[in-house]
Amino acid sequence: MESLNLFISFFLFSYFFLGAESDHLQHSNLGSLRPNRLFVFGDSYVDTGNIRKSLSDSWKIPYGITFPQKPSGRFSDGRVATDFLARYMGIKSPIPYTWKGYAGKERLSYGMNYAYGGTGVFTTKDNPLPNMTTQIDYFQRVVAAGNIYSPSDLPSSLALISVAGNDYGTFIALQRPLTELPAFIKQVVDQIEVNARRIYKLGVKKIAITSMQPLGCLPSVTVFTSFQRCNATDNISTNLHNFFLHKAISRLNSETKPSTFVVIDHYNAFLTVFKNKGSEPGAMRFGNPLEPCCVGIDSKHDCSNVDEKSEKKYKVCEDPKGAFFWDIFHPSEEGWRSVYSVLHKSLKDVWI
């Protein structure tokens, strides 16, 4: 208990002393032209189907029931963040890296998605899938091969980096002392900075990094209050991550002329949707935004689980479009649509 109190005290000190910076999307001089190509690195918030079907629940029913009416490898009932960002860019969603051999030249022209659900900037617990360093290795090899993209294609492209908390899930799963968490958060953000700088040096001159969504509002956390309220301590730690992220972005932009790095504000966009009273254009008003649509029938089961007789061990809400969260970790398609409706004006200011 003493270590927990020390942990909470540190975060309260960090939050108020360092300043709870508003995590709004940071503007930068990304140029007057909208990027025509999207390269994606990260986790399940942006993965559109890289994991093998045998390895992921995202390929099992009822995932994908809204779009494309069957499982597509997305961790949602439909589209995810990548799809909505691509739509606002005016392009098709980039092809997953593992599908590149089956895609035509036209589809490849929109970029490539290297993200794998469940991964982090470091290797995550019990997960053999490529972490972000390896994802960038794949990107580097594709560019070096020269048969799909050339170096001249990269300056007019946008790279999206998503880090949604799997590194912190591993920290908890390994039962590391909570007093070590602040230093670990700094390590995670430092590695994000290394990754962003590497992508820039490979030739992509416009790089967007998502802020951490409010981890204390995920259904995996709010289930302990019957989905009635977020966990304030978890959100303070999230704010420390985002504070360090803004500092890293400032350092990166100080090295580049013109400035080319930007934070896409998932944190405040999520909270804006949660608090929406119907006044935010394009954002759905959810009855209880903290309650997920698809859950296991008990604590031993998750969305998509079946028994040996293929009988469902999960339940799905009547209207997925009325739920912000699809499962206990991931937004629904309507949730993502609302988040990017909130972000729309800021995104337009960046590249138009």
Side-chain angles (χ1 to χ4, degrees), residues 219-274:
S220 59
V221 176
T222 63
V223 63
F224 299 108
T225 63
S226 299
F227 310 113
Q228 295 304 304
R229 63 180 181 276
C230 300
N231 183 293
T233 301
D234 285 351
N235 282 351
I236 289 174
S237 64
T238 305
N239 269 292
L240 186 58
H241 171 102
N242 291 334
F243 175 84
F244 287 145
L245 180 62
H246 278 289
K247 294 299 182 185
I249 294 298
S250 295
R251 285 192 297 271
L252 289 167
N253 280 330
S254 69
E255 299 173 8
T256 57
K257 304 294 182 184
S259 299
T260 58
F261 299 87
V262 65
V263 175
I264 295 182
D265 183 7
H266 278 186
Y267 184 87
N268 278 309
F270 273 56
L271 293 182
T272 296
V273 175
F274 294 161

Side-chain angles (χ1 to χ4, degrees), residues 91-103:
I91 64 173
K92 292 182 180 180
S93 195
I95 198 77
Y97 167 73
T98 54
W99 299 9
K100 66 182 184 301
Y102 308 98

Side-chain angles (χ1 to χ4, degrees), residues 123-176:
T123 299
T124 49
K125 190 175 186 294
D126 301 326
N127 191 332
L129 297 172
N131 65 19
M132 193 174 294
T133 296
T134 304
Q135 293 171 27
I136 300 171
D137 290 342
Y138 293 162
F139 171 61
Q140 185 171 357
R141 291 172 196 165
V142 169
V143 173
N147 58 331
I148 300 177
Y149 309 110
S150 68
S152 63
D153 292 325
L154 302 186
S156 59
S157 303
L158 174 70
L160 172 65
I161 295 175
S162 169
V163 179
N166 292 318
D167 294 286
Y168 302 133
T170 294
F171 180 97
I172 294 170
L174 293 176
Q175 299 182 332
R176 292 180 58 178

